Amino acid sequence: MINTTSISIGPLIPAMEALRVIDQGAKQIALVVDEQQRLLGTLTDGDIRRGLLRGETLETPVERLMNRQFHFVRNNEDPVAILEMMKRESLHQLPVLDKEGHVVQLLRLEEMLEKIQLPNEVVIMAGGEGKRLRPHTKHCPKPMLLVNGKPMLEVLLEQCISSGFQRFYISVNYLKEQIIDYFQDGGRWGVSINYLVEDEPLGTAGSLRLLPKDIEQPFLVLNGDVLTQLNPIQLLRFHREQDAAATICVREHLVSVPFGVVQTTDMELTGFEEKPNYHLLINAGLYVINPQLLALLRPNQKTDMPDLLDTVQKAGHRVSVCPIHEYWIDVGRAESLKDANKICWDSK
């Protein structure tokens, strides 16, 4: 966050002087304010250049060049939501205003990305054998298969890091040494990585019992063979808004029946439906779990996530369902691995 005095200018300042402020401030922006420091508009080098193309000169007052439709946030807004907006709108600078419209600060995307650190843990399930991907997984664990030149697990990790997550647990079993040797303690990425080592396969939820008992915040659970462009912060926020004990992500899946479907009651024909389509919700392999639910897991017992969520509901807790509309792919077959390599999984 930046003090804005050095980059604040009045509306009657000529464009030439504004350019000097932009250059000397090294923030790529000037803030046009009134005498009470209320923001009137923002000004960049590009705004001035566009004005020159319209016939303005470097003597033109900046009030004729500034952007009056600027983005801004209030000084009491959630920093995670602010970061999401800046990334979504590709905003490298964002003014912070108080309720009267006075400039309080200027946020820069680069600094926001460096500073934000979420307290929530992320668990990535990476212990499966990947039998459907043989022979690719005969000597390589499925999460280490390359997607755009990186192990799939690294793509997942970097997506989470770019959203502010710092503490990771990776559940490992099959060919676990390759994963542990590659990621080690996470220092190469500036984060903490620990491992939940399954001596025997524990299913898609059983290894959660190996998590330390001092976890206090809801944590993410991600299947190591699922890639999506869903922002994990949005998932975490959805979970909190729903006041749920657990959240499961779902994806709509269309099933087309290429035949006429016969409808019956007992042994009598009641109708036909020609080549119907059915819209189903499938498990997308992403979850949020409140740490209190870990007590429902039995130590060293194989448990899949549907079994855990069923137990959670029977214990009287709420399980919410979060639909994913973003791109999503289960990299479980050779064809889907090829498809995953066609997508840009940019973590920035």
Side-chain angles (χ1 to χ4, degrees), residues 240-252:
R240 287 172 172 157
E241 290 172 349
Q242 298 300 310
D243 194 24
T247 295
I248 176 174
C249 286
V250 297
R251 175 79 174 178
E252 185 177 74

Side-chain angles (χ1 to χ4, degrees), residues 60-102:
T60 298
V62 296
E63 65 179 356
R64 294 174 56 177
L65 303 170
M66 66 186 184
N67 173 22
R68 299 175 185 270
Q69 305 299 319
F70 51 85
H71 290 84
F72 69 92
V73 292
R74 298 296 181 185
N75 57 350
N76 58 352
E77 291 190 30
D78 177 10
V80 174
I82 292 173
L83 177 60
E84 277 186 39
M85 184 185 77
M86 293 181 75
K87 292 172 68 175
R88 182 176 64 251
E89 303 291 339
S90 298
L91 303 174
H92 291 275
Q93 307 94 1
L94 186 65
V96 180
L97 309 182
D98 64 15
K99 60 182 180 180
E100 286 83 26
H102 301 111

